Amino acid sequence: MLRIILVSLVFISECIVCFAQADKNSNTHYKSNNVNKNTINKNNNNIKHHNDKVNNNSNKLQDSHNKRVIRILSLDGGGTRGYIQAKFLELLCNEFGITNLGEYFDLIVGTSIGGINAVALAHGMGPNDLIKFFRKTSPWIFTIRSKKDIFSNHASIPSNKPNKSQMLYMIITGNSFYKSVSEESNYGDARLRRELKHVFGNQLLNQLKTKVLLTAYDFSTSNPILFSSTNINNVPNVLTGVKVVDAVMATTSFPIYFPSITLKNAKGLHYNNNKNTSDTTTLNAIKNTSSNTDELETVDGGLFQCNPSLLAFIVAKNIYPSANKYCILSIGTGIRQNKINFNKNKSIINNLLPVKYTKIWDVFIQSSKYTSDLLLKTFSNDPNAKLNYYRFDVTLDNNKECSLDTSTGDFFDYLDKKVEAQYNKDKEKIKEFVTNLKDIKKNI
């Protein structure tokens, strides 16, 4: 776990350094342009002549790179607590009369369940579709077979989480809680893949209506990777040309809960250690169309970016370096104040019981979220950062069962109340932020 944290910090540092270099190059280029105005005017005439020939869709794409204000939606990981995002967005759309929510953003970034919500919105789906997914489908993803299902490939009971004994057995034997016994199973990871396939088919990320970025972690190289719908300069470890289903399965494969996902020959991309520089930990993606053996063993991006809002900011500044302002709406998946009591007088096995083991992940996730939030709040206080940042999250009760795989109707009803209460508290902040989004949208 310490290694993952260190790699994550190195990755974010690399992104910041790369952006700083790109920004420096941009300023140098700008100064050079002022010196060569005649050349630019001549080139502009050629560009204008070329743009007259392109179709309307191409014009819209070109315009997006010149937008003065860039709107970013960042969605945390957090299992079924991603319902918080769906409910918040439902309240948002209902109050402000927003339709086609994905069109209000230039970039949607998601981790784990946030990745599912991200691609759904970028596909043109709305908050109501997300709520339906959580209430109707997630109970069959987060369930295991009961005793009477032992000779069947299917589960007969939804929301049937493993008990402590089953969890301990699975952890010891290296089995994931929600790995299906068959690709045809009606539960677990097979059910998730089938639902995604039904909606997205063989669609690629770059075929979605809005730009998206999903996070994952490659166990085969011990490096973070990013699945993107667009090419991103100066950011390491970016994969494009990936199917939506594959990217989502990778970003949601949280260790212990789901098995890792092996991506074979991800459109001919090959990873090599960058041994020619002082940094030997970064892997650079290069085209290698002759290679058919590339494999990435991917797991949940929450291992390094559970709250991807800081990453979203860095990436947006690379895609849209000339923007005058960046508006980030970041939505969490609940705050838990978990306290883990380790008794030095008891055995290691006792201290690592499954309940405590899963709580460790909760603490890890929360600390990761807090770091990104703290940094962005700091940046937003600096006028030079050109950042308008708002984050929505709710505090969950410690005496309430709110684990990442809780999927009962009562649990979602509980989250409804929590989101509604926090939404009402933040109403003025939300109104100020969304008004900016609506005003910008009308000018596009």
Side-chain angles (χ1 to χ4, degrees):
M1 183 179 293
L2 179 59
R3 182 180 182 182
I4 293 174
I5 294 173
L6 292 174
V7 170
S8 304
L9 292 174
V10 169
F11 178 81
I12 290 297
S13 299
E14 289 169 357
C15 290
I16 294 174
V17 170
C18 288
F19 167 72
Q21 183 62 40
D23 195 41
K24 180 180 178 181
N25 292 340
S26 177
N27 290 336
T28 303
H29 179 67
Y30 176 75
K31 292 178 181 178
S32 175
N33 284 345
N34 285 336
V35 177
N36 298 283
K37 287 182 179 180
N38 292 333
T39 302
I40 288 177
N41 289 335
K42 182 178 179 180
N43 289 340
N44 281 344
N45 289 332
N46 292 335
I47 292 173
K48 184 178 183 302
H49 177 71
H50 171 73
N51 285 344
D52 289 339
K53 298 180 181 180
V54 300
N55 57 33
N56 290 334
N57 289 334
S58 297
N59 281 329
K60 290 180 180 179
L61 181 62
Q62 182 68 27
D63 289 341
S64 70
H65 287 275
N66 297 318
K67 288 178 181 176
R68 300 172 65 84
V69 180
I70 301 304
R71 309 146 306 164
I72 306 157
L73 177 62
S74 175
L75 303 171
D76 286 16
T80 53
R81 299 199 311 237
Y83 181 88
I84 292 170
Q85 299 166 354
K87 184 62 180 178
F88 170 82
L89 292 173
E90 180 192 49
L91 296 174
L92 191 84
C93 291
N94 288 343
E95 179 172 358
F96 295 96
I98 296 174
T99 57
N100 299 321
L101 182 64
E103 295 181 2
Y104 281 80
F105 296 95
D106 302 290
L107 176 67
I108 305 178
V109 181
T111 288
S112 196
I113 186 61
I116 293 180
N117 290 341
V119 297
L121 294 172
H123 185 61
M125 301 173 74
N128 290 336
D129 298 306
L130 301 181
I131 289 175
K132 182 179 179 181
F133 167 79
F134 282 103
R135 286 188 173 270
K136 301 295 184 182
T137 305
S138 72
W140 290 103
I141 295 172
F142 293 98
T143 194
I144 63 173
R145 293 178 300 163
S146 62
K147 291 181 179 179
K148 67 178 183 179
D149 304 323
I150 194 64
F151 297 111
S152 171
N153 288 334
H154 304 296
S156 58
I157 305 173
S159 305
N160 180 31
K161 299 195 296 183
N163 58 38
K164 294 180 182 179
S165 298
Q166 291 169 322
M167 291 169 67
L168 181 59
Y169 174 78
M170 292 177 183
I171 291 173
I172 292 175
T173 58
N175 291 313
S176 304
F177 296 168
Y178 302 108
K179 177 177 173 57
S180 309
V181 296
S182 167
E183 293 181 357
E184 304 302 321
S185 296
N186 70 339
Y187 72 98
D189 65 321
R191 178 64 175 262
L192 174 58
R193 179 177 285 276
R194 192 159 53 251
E195 294 288 340
L196 292 170
K197 191 75 173 178
H198 175 72
V199 175
F200 299 102
N202 292 320
Q203 189 176 20
L204 303 179
L205 288 176
N206 60 12
Q207 294 174 324
L208 294 171
K209 298 176 181 178
T210 303
K211 288 185 178 68
V212 296
L213 183 76
L214 307 184
T215 66
Y217 190 86
D218 180 17
F219 265 178
S220 61
T221 60
S222 297
N223 273 268
I225 55 176
L226 306 175
F227 297 110
S228 176
S229 61
T230 186
N231 291 322
I232 306 172
N233 296 324
N234 307 308
V235 174
N237 306 347
V238 177
L239 283 180
T240 58
V242 180
K243 291 181 180 179
V244 174
V245 174
D246 290 337
V248 171
M249 290 301 296
T251 192
T252 56
S253 297
F254 197 74
I256 303 176
Y257 292 88
F258 293 102
S260 62
I261 300 298
T262 300
L263 298 181
K264 297 182 179 180
N265 192 29
K267 199 163 183 177
L269 288 177
H270 180 63
Y271 281 79
N272 281 335
N273 281 314
N274 187 14
K275 297 181 179 179
N276 294 326
T277 67
S278 59
D279 178 39
T280 59
T281 62
T282 303
L283 299 179
N284 294 322
I286 61 174
K287 290 278 181 149
N288 186 3
T289 54
S290 63
S291 173
N292 293 314
T293 59
D294 296 350
E295 289 189 0
L296 304 176
E297 185 186 355
T298 58
V299 294
D300 198 301
L303 292 185
F304 85 102
Q305 280 289 291
C306 199
N307 171 3
S309 53
L310 177 60
L311 175 65
F313 181 45
I314 295 170
V315 168
K317 295 197 79 169
N318 276 273
I319 299 177
Y320 308 101
S322 60
N324 287 345
K325 196 171 189 177
Y326 302 88
C327 295
I328 300 178
L329 172 59
S330 175
I331 312 176
T333 53
I335 302 169
R336 293 298 299 271
Q337 303 296 332
N338 274 326
K339 183 178 180 181
I340 304 175
N341 296 315
F342 287 101
N343 191 335
K344 62 182 179 181
N345 296 321
K346 293 186 177 182
S347 66
I348 295 177
I349 295 296
N350 182 275
N351 278 317
L352 291 180
L353 284 173
V355 173
K356 290 185 177 180
Y357 194 77
T358 53
K359 280 187 177 181
I360 290 175
W361 283 115
D362 251 353
V363 172
F364 175 66
I365 289 170
Q366 194 57 51
S367 62
S368 172
K369 291 182 178 184
Y370 175 77
T371 302
S372 293
D373 182 41
L374 178 63
L375 289 172
L376 279 175
K377 284 179 178 176
T378 303
F379 288 149
S380 65
N381 291 327
D382 180 3
N384 294 325
K386 303 181 290 186
L387 174 63
N388 179 17
Y389 172 68
Y390 168 72
R391 178 167 173 82
F392 179 88
D393 211 345
V394 301
T395 300
L396 304 173
D397 300 316
N398 285 334
N399 60 352
K400 179 71 176 178
E401 174 54 43
C402 298
S403 59
L404 305 179
D405 53 350
T406 303
S407 58
T408 62
D410 289 343
F411 175 63
F412 294 130
D413 291 342
Y414 165 77
L415 292 182
D416 278 340
K417 295 176 182 178
K418 282 289 183 179
V419 173
E420 289 168 1
Q422 188 63 44
Y423 187 94
N424 289 329
K425 287 181 182 179
D426 281 11
K427 215 159 193 179
E428 289 303 315
K429 295 179 181 178
I430 295 169
K431 182 178 180 180
E432 179 182 356
F433 187 90
V434 176
T435 299
N436 288 334
L437 293 184
K438 293 193 69 175
D439 288 345
I440 299 165
K441 171 74 165 56
K442 291 177 182 177
N443 292 329
I444 294 178

